[in-house]
């Protein structure tokens, strides 16, 4: 079994909100630190797409594969030891193959699509896939309804994967839209967790691409605003740079400052404590001036030890917040 390195208050139920890679890293740290039944991880599905008639949920898969220990850290997506024979054959047929779906990864999408066609919700499907991979905390999509992140760019409106993979984030972003959000409902376990959790952790994911879609689901923002327990976020911007992905470029294009202070500004009404990196310690006073509390530590998660250390640190902030 897993050794619990930091036995956080057993009673504490933790809700973590995550996007892709950065979110999955902290989620893994939390997974290794908490008891499985203490943790609910709600994941962005604005990046979801259909390819070859299959339903793809990249962020759900990134979190699921990471917790299952089968994630490909080198490419930054999909499964370890992957092959691409199916994709090559699809290419022979002239199908669009700019989105690199591996042979094993395709099994996930085939099974997900089959279960959805049988009438299961995305939450139920995710739960089933996780169980089969031996992943035990609850991983939930933000919604069982379709919400699609659309990038409004100088090259027109692009779906997230077109913007991110096909055009490699090159077009200039003018704005974002979350198509379908207005009609979407929170996934049932997300709603339950928002109403019963003792604390919320906003993982270091791109606020515009990962957290905003989650916040766009009706009711989420208000429940986060009125949440009574500690709400702790970890800044995905360190020393004026995004650790991964296009956050810095997008911030600049949208006239935002590329700094953890901007993260604080973005999150100030839904967050109490913002964890920033040691290299940004000089910005703590600016963050405090916005009404948040800055907490400073190493936030760069290269090794698994880094991930559990950051998780333990975040949980210690929560313990201090729920004990008094
Ligand atoms: N990202 C890429 O940059 N290129 C790809 O070809 C690609 C394929 C892919 C397949 C499955 C999957 O789950 C993710 C994949 N990603 C790929 C990553 C994905 O675009 C992003 O990780 C997320 O949507 C951003 O959070």
């Amino acid at each position: 079994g897993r050794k619990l390195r930091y036995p956080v208050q057993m009673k504490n139920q933790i809700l973590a909100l995550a996007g892709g890679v950065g979110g999955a890293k902290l989620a893994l740290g939390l997974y290794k630190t908490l008891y499985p039944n203490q943790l609910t991880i709600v994941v962005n599905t604005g990046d979801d797409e259909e390819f070859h008639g299959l339903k793809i949920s990249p962020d759900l898969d990134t979190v699921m594969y990471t917790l299952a220990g089968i994630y490909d850290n080198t490419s930054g997506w999909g499964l370890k030891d992957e092959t691409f024979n199916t994709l090559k054959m699809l290419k022979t047929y002239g199908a669009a193959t700019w989105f690199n779906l591996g042979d094993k990864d395709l099994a996930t999408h085939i099974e997900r699509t089959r279960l959805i066609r049988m009438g299961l919700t995305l939450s139920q499907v995710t739960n089933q896939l996780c169980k089969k991979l031996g992943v035990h905390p609850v991983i939930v999509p933000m919604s069982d309804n379709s919400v699609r992140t659309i990038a409004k760019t100088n090259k027109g409106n692009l779906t997230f994967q077109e913007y991110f993979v096909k055009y490699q984030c090159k077009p200039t972003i003018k704005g974002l839209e979350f198509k379908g959000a207005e009609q979407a409902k929170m996934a049932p376990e997300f709603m339950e967790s928002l109403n019963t959790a003792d604390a919320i952790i906003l993982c270091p994911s791109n606020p515009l691409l990962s957290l905003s879609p989650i916040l766009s689901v009706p009711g989420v923002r208000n429940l986060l605003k009125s949440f009574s327990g500690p709400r702790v976020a970890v800044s995905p911007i360190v020393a004026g740079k995004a650790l991964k992905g296009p956050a810095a470029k997008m911030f600049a294009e949208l006239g935002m400052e590329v700094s953890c202070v901007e993260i604080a500004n973005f999150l100030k009404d839904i967050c109490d404590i913002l964890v920033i990196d040691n290299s940004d310690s000089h910005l703590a006073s600016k963050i405090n001036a916005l009404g948040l509390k800055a907490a400073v530590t190493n936030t760069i998660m290269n090794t698994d030890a880094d991930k559990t250390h950051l998780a333990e640190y975040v949980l210690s902030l929560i313990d201090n917040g729920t004990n008094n």
Side-chain angles (χ1 to χ4, degrees):
R2 289 177 295 114
K3 188 166 144 245
L4 292 172
R5 299 161 55 101
Y6 182 86
V8 178
Q9 300 280 312
M10 281 279 296
K11 65 176 171 63
N12 277 355
Q13 289 291 324
I14 309 291
L15 167 59
L17 306 185
V21 182
K25 285 183 174 183
L26 184 59
L28 180 64
L30 293 167
Y31 177 46
K32 292 193 172 203
T33 307
L34 292 162
Y35 293 100
N37 61 5
Q38 283 184 286
L39 179 62
T40 300
I41 306 163
V42 168
V43 178
N44 168 40
T45 54
D47 299 4
D48 290 13
E49 259 301 353
E50 280 203 16
F51 290 105
H52 319 296
L54 300 173
K55 294 189 182 289
I56 324 282
S57 295
D59 283 358
L60 276 174
D61 289 346
T62 295
V63 175
M64 182 173 79
Y65 293 159
T66 299
L67 267 50
I70 55 177
Y71 179 67
D72 186 13
N73 295 307
T74 7
S75 76
W77 77 82
L79 290 154
K80 282 194 238 190
D81 307 317
E82 191 54 285
T83 51
F84 292 88
N85 294 308
T86 311
L87 201 76
K88 275 183 216 144
M89 194 64 179
L90 283 166
K91 200 169 186 166
T92 305
Y93 289 131
T97 52
W98 51 267
F99 197 72
N100 291 285
L101 293 163
D103 296 328
K104 290 193 285 184
D105 191 30
L106 275 162
T108 306
H109 314 313
I110 290 170
E111 183 63 359
R112 175 188 292 120
T113 306
R114 183 183 76 85
L115 292 170
I116 293 215
R117 291 211 181 115
M118 274 176 59
L120 271 68
T121 64
L122 184 59
S123 297
Q124 291 167 332
V125 173
T126 305
N127 191 284
Q128 186 156 328
L129 298 178
C130 283
K131 275 198 182 129
K132 298 287 183 189
L133 291 175
V135 172
H136 290 296
V138 185
I139 300 179
V140 207
M142 63 194 199
S143 174
D144 288 327
N145 311 116
S146 158
V147 177
R148 290 292 167 270
T149 301
I150 305 291
K152 298 181 175 176
T153 77
N154 61 334
K155 304 277 180 207
N157 285 358
L158 304 173
T159 66
F160 175 78
Q161 298 302 344
E162 285 173 333
Y163 167 72
F164 190 78
V165 178
K166 194 174 183 185
Y167 296 100
Q168 310 205 308
C169 308
K170 280 176 193 142
T172 307
I173 294 269
K174 298 187 165 159
L176 292 166
E177 190 192 316
F178 306 109
K179 216 171 115 193
E182 277 160 36
Q183 301 86 261
K185 288 199 186 77
M186 272 177 251
E189 280 162 305
F190 182 14
M191 167 94 88
E192 192 194 316
S193 180
L194 262 178
N195 285 312
T196 58
D198 298 294
I200 293 175
I201 298 172
L202 305 166
C203 292
S205 297
N206 184 327
L208 303 175
L209 291 177
S210 298
L211 297 179
S212 283
I214 302 178
L215 297 172
S216 77
V217 178
V220 173
R221 193 176 266 284
N222 282 337
L223 284 169
L224 281 172
K225 269 190 200 168
S226 60
F227 187 79
S228 56
R231 300 163 300 182
V232 184
V234 178
S235 174
I237 302 273
V238 171
K241 289 197 179 95
L243 291 175
K244 204 179 172 295
K249 180 176 180 281
M250 289 181 65
F251 273 37
E253 287 168 3
L254 293 171
M256 294 163 72
E257 197 188 306
V258 187
S259 120
C260 59
V261 180
E262 191 76 78
I263 301 290
N265 202 28
F266 187 86
L267 297 176
K268 64 185 177 215
D269 56 346
I270 54 164
C271 174
D272 306 298
I273 304 174
L274 180 66
V275 179
I276 60 172
D277 192 69
N278 290 324
S279 59
D280 284 324
S281 60
H282 60 286
L283 296 169
S285 58
K286 280 195 175 177
I287 290 168
N288 295 335
L290 288 167
L292 288 165
K293 222 169 93 185
V296 185
T297 192
N298 171 42
T299 64
I300 299 179
M301 294 179 278
N302 291 324
T303 65
D304 279 5
D306 295 336
K307 293 165 199 161
T308 47
H309 280 142
L310 185 57
E312 286 166 8
Y313 180 78
V314 170
L315 292 167
S316 73
L317 297 170
I318 285 171
D319 257 5
N320 291 337
T322 51
N323 284 347
N324 54 38

